[in-house]
Amino acid sequence: SKRSQRSNAQHFEFQAEVSRLMDIIIHSLYSNKDIFLRELISNASDALDKIRFLALTDKDVLGEGDDTNLEIQIKLDKEKRIISIRDRGIGMTKEDLIKNLGTIAKSGTSAFVEKMQTSGDLNLIGQFGVGFYSVYLVADNVEVISKHNDDKQHIWESKADGSFVVAEDTENEPLGRGTEIRLHLREEAGEYLEESKLKELVKKYSEFINFPIRLWASKEVDVEVPADEDESND
Ligand SMILES: CCNC(=O)[C@H]1O[C@@H](n2cnc3c(N)nc(I)nc32)[C@H](O)[C@@H]1O
């Protein structure tokens, strides 16, 4: 993946508890993998709540926009086998990415990890604030691109191999503000590239969400590359 090419990438080891949790998730036989979308929608909604709350007292936090584009976008790229979930929430600084996605509050989590390990029931993962890691039920490589008003856009990436990288993001479209999670789907998770499946899940998981959720299926357009007449046949 591009991560090896990122010259300015800093490498980090996950906190031990995080690595353990990720391994349990990845090796769990938990069958309801749909919950990853519920957790991502929930995190996006929390991020949108934060910026909307701040905007009540300081309109400037919304930048040139206003609060009409506080929404969640889900995009399917069948060619690249990537699902992306984007929010126009408050976004994360580089430090936020490192702290929020690389460490977990130890209190209570190890109890949850024990419980999950024995019961194998991941459904309550969100209630312990670690729902994000459920992305590894369906993805083997996850990128988190984020832009906070107080920092430049950064990208976080991990293949759940015990480490993650963070770099200033010079490759992707500027988000303006907010976060985009890109899931590189596992071989066996192809069902999540089906619009019908995603539509059903969005309907199911958007019931208590106070922001619009838009689903886009980006079709790969074949670009006709005009033959270059004067190309000599070598
Ligand atoms: C243990 C995993 N950590 C998280 O899920 C934290 O990462 C951050 N996070 C996850 N998705 C996010 C998101 N989409 N926007 C923002 I702002 N923060 C997010 C929140 O602080 C979560 O509590």
Side-chain angles (χ1 to χ4, degrees), residues 4-39:
S4 50
Q5 294 154 6
R6 274 188 209 112
S7 55
N8 56 342
Q10 273 179 280
H11 291 251
F12 297 85
E13 295 296 303
F14 281 113
Q15 179 195 25
E17 284 78 7
V18 174
S19 284
R20 183 138 169 268
L21 178 60
M22 291 169 88
D23 284 346
I24 292 170
I25 290 168
I26 288 165
H27 300 107
S28 85
L29 302 174
Y30 187 63
S31 53
N32 177 17
K33 297 185 186 299
D34 295 352
I35 60 164
F36 84 91
L37 193 65
R38 180 189 67 195
E39 299 307 324

Side-chain angles (χ1 to χ4, degrees), residues 18 21 40 43-47 50 87 89-92 96 99-104 128-133 144 146 148 178-181:
V18 174
L21 178 60
L40 291 185
N43 286 343
S45 176
D46 292 347
K50 284 177 188 155
D87 65 65
I90 192 166
M92 287 178 273
D96 290 335
K99 180 174 173 298
N100 295 347
L101 297 180
T103 67
I104 47 183
F128 290 79
V130 293
F132 169 79
Y133 297 122
V144 178
S146 205
H148 184 288
T179 300
E180 178 175 336
I181 317 265

Side-chain angles (χ1 to χ4, degrees), residues 72-94:
I72 298 169
Q73 281 182 356
I74 299 173
K75 283 192 178 144
L76 308 179
D77 186 328
K78 295 189 180 182
E79 287 293 305
K80 297 187 186 126
R81 294 178 55 77
I82 295 175
I83 293 186
S84 54
I85 294 92
R86 178 179 172 182
D87 65 65
R88 297 270 305 159
I90 192 166
M92 287 178 273
T93 64
K94 176 183 175 185

